[in-house]
């Protein structure tokens, strides 16, 4: 583990003091930098972060992730102050589905149930019947009859994955994540030649040629859990490289190899949005109580129902 400099230690102390003063809880997604994961009170995948936010007693939540995660927390807890270290931390997948265009798509298929991935703006959630995350999408889609007419958005890769597993023909919005689409089947095959015993862990936002190489496909929390329980000693990981921090921490005797993006053999695949958050920005948002996540009240009201429906369906 890297040795902490006195400067980092001092920022961490400031964060802990400010957190106490503000009565705040710090939440972090697995793609955050290690220092933020380590100082967070709660760490998880999108599903866990939504579930925990809904039940927290604290008055202030700092969501270290991307903007839609802060919005989800604010929608579920309208009376709390939700802060985000950097309000520019967006999501290419959420951006691939502008609410006005999605509205037209939905209105042109009025007989369809609308299922949306949590990686969407509040405006898209407000047009949705049930929200899902990568951790529960398959199970929630399977609660609908086999012949149900479903619009699934915005991730075409997750949608294709569910269609292929369930034999359904959901109508897919043509969106994607720029990070996960960059993984290449060829590079993973090359890595497998060097590490023939390694198991391949793949996020369902990856393309079909990458998913076909997977020993396990699932959300960040599902992949972490699989790594904990598997007898394998080596893993090739095809999702944002931030997850390797928890994997290495929880399974120090195992080796985790980040799958590289298609345009490089050596580098990790990182989400530039997730990596906008730093310890300094986390400290400053607690100091300034800004940037604060705001969601239009009417949109939040409509977006809350499909999120609550997801939480209810995935607690059964
Ligand atoms: P998880 O729900 O698996 O944590 O994924 C969130 C995400 O943004 C994947 O790119
Ligand atoms: Fe969005 Fe992709 Fe980053 Fe996840 S990894 S937050 S889907 S841009």
């Amino acid at each position: 583990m890297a040795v902490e400099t006195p400067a980092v230690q001092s920022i961490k102390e400031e964060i802990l003091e400010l957190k106490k003063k503000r009565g705040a809880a710090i939440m972090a997604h697995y793609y955050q930098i290690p220092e933020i994961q380590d100082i967070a009170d709660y760490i998880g995948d999108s599903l866990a972060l939504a579930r925990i936010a809904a039940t927290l007693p604290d008055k202030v939540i700092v969501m270290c992730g991307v903007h839609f995660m802060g919005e989800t927390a604010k929608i579920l807890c309208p009376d709390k102050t939700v802060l985000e270290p950097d309000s520019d931390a967006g999501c290419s997948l959420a951006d691939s589905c502008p609410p006005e265009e999605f509205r037209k798509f939905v209105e042109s298929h009025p007989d369809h149930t609308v299922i949306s991935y949590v990686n969407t703006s509040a405006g898209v959630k407000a047009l949705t019947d049930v929200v899902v995350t990568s951790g529960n999408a398959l199970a929630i889609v399977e609660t609908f009859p086999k012949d149900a007419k479903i619009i699934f958005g915005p991730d075409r890769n997750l949608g294709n994955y569910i269609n292929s597993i369930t034999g359904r023909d959901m109508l897919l919005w043509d969106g994607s994540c720029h990070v996960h689409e960059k993984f290449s089947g060829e590079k993973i095959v090359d890595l497998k030649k060097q590490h023939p015993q390694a198991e391949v862990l793949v996020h369902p936002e990856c393309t079909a040629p990458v998913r076909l190489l997977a020993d396990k496909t699932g959300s960040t929390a599902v992949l972490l859990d699989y790594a904990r329980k598997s007898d394998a000693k080596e893993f090739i990981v095809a999702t944002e490289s931030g997850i390797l921090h928890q994997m290495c921490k929880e399974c120090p005797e195992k080796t985790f190899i980040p799958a590289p993006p298609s345009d490089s053999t050596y580098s990790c695949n990182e989400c530039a949005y997730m990596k906008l958050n730093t310890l300094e920005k986390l400290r400053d948002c607690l100091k300034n109580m800004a940037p604060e996540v705001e969601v239009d009240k009417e949109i939040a009201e409509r977006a809350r129902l499909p999120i609550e429906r997801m939480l209810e369906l995935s607690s059964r």
Side-chain angles (χ1 to χ4, degrees):
M1 207 186 283
V3 181
E4 254 174 31
T5 64
V8 168
Q9 277 172 9
S10 141
I11 296 178
K12 281 189 164 181
E13 279 161 26
E14 278 185 85
I15 291 171
L16 293 175
E17 253 173 57
L18 284 163
K19 185 183 80 157
K20 212 160 141 195
K21 182 169 156 201
R22 302 297 192 195
I26 300 175
M27 309 190 73
H29 187 266
Y30 290 126
Y31 296 163
Q32 292 296 287
I33 57 168
E35 294 81 359
I36 290 185
Q37 293 191 38
D38 289 345
I39 205 166
D41 299 296
Y42 305 97
I43 172 161
D45 66 354
S46 313
L47 178 59
L49 294 177
R51 270 199 187 125
I52 296 166
T55 57
L56 278 183
D58 313 77
K59 288 195 198 69
V60 178
I61 294 174
V62 187
M63 184 58 79
C64 303
V66 289
H67 187 65
F68 76 81
M69 296 174 177
E71 275 191 343
T72 304
K74 182 68 185 175
I75 291 165
L76 288 168
C77 318
D79 300 333
K80 291 191 199 276
T81 301
V82 179
L83 304 171
E84 54 190 353
D86 190 323
S87 50
D88 288 334
C91 167
S92 61
L93 179 51
D95 290 347
S96 70
C97 190
E100 266 322 302
E101 285 175 38
F102 193 65
R103 175 192 299 282
K104 286 182 204 148
F105 185 56
V106 168
E107 284 175 356
S108 60
H109 301 92
D111 53 348
H112 282 56
T113 296
V114 182
I115 301 185
S116 295
Y117 193 33
V118 71
N119 295 43
T120 43
S121 61
V124 166
K125 291 187 178 78
L127 298 164
T128 294
D129 295 304
V130 198
V131 167
V132 296
T133 75
S134 49
N136 58 22
L138 190 58
I140 289 184
V141 167
E142 284 289 63
T143 64
F144 289 87
K146 267 267 172 296
D147 57 351
K149 291 181 175 172
I150 295 175
I151 284 177
F152 187 92
D155 189 18
R156 60 176 172 236
N157 294 311
L158 179 60
N160 272 320
Y161 169 67
I162 297 173
N163 275 344
S164 69
I165 300 253
T166 63
R168 287 168 190 261
D169 189 19
M170 299 188 300
L171 205 50
L172 307 182
W173 181 264
D174 195 21
S176 64
C177 156
H178 74 299
V179 178
H180 286 88
E181 283 220 321
K182 256 188 167 182
F183 288 109
S184 109
E186 275 171 38
K187 300 263 172 186
I188 295 175
V189 169
D190 285 348
L191 272 176
K192 268 293 268 188
K193 283 184 194 144
Q194 296 163 44
H195 304 272
Q197 306 301 325
E199 289 195 318
V200 180
L201 309 180
V202 173
H203 197 280
E205 286 172 21
C206 294
T207 57
V210 173
R211 289 197 313 270
L212 285 172
L213 299 168
D215 292 289
K216 183 69 186 173
T217 304
S219 76
T220 49
V222 167
L223 299 181
L224 177 61
D225 189 54
Y226 183 86
R228 266 184 219 121
K229 293 176 180 160
S230 166
D231 291 333
K233 294 281 173 265
E234 283 186 312
F235 301 86
I236 295 165
V237 185
T239 189
E240 210 270 359
S241 56
I243 185 69
L244 270 79
H245 177 60
Q246 280 306 310
M247 288 176 168
C248 293
K249 218 169 144 180
E250 294 193 29
C251 315
E253 74 292 0
K254 298 181 179 177
T255 303
F256 297 94
I257 304 150
S262 52
D263 51 3
S264 157
T265 302
Y266 305 106
S267 72
C268 298
N269 207 350
E270 290 197 336
C271 172
Y273 297 112
M274 286 278 181
K275 270 29 185 198
L276 280 177
N277 296 331
T278 60
L279 277 182
E280 287 83 353
K281 290 181 194 170
L282 170 54
R283 174 200 57 202
D284 293 347
C285 83
L286 277 165
K287 201 186 269 180
N288 305 326
M289 292 297 277
E292 192 179 338
V293 178
E294 305 277 7
V295 184
D296 174 87
K297 275 206 169 63
E298 206 186 300
I299 290 179
E301 208 48 53
R302 282 188 276 132
R304 180 157 51 248
L305 293 174
I307 302 174
E308 284 178 347
R309 197 148 177 229
M310 164 185 85
L311 293 177
E312 195 209 310
L313 283 171
S314 56
S315 68
R316 284 180 192 165

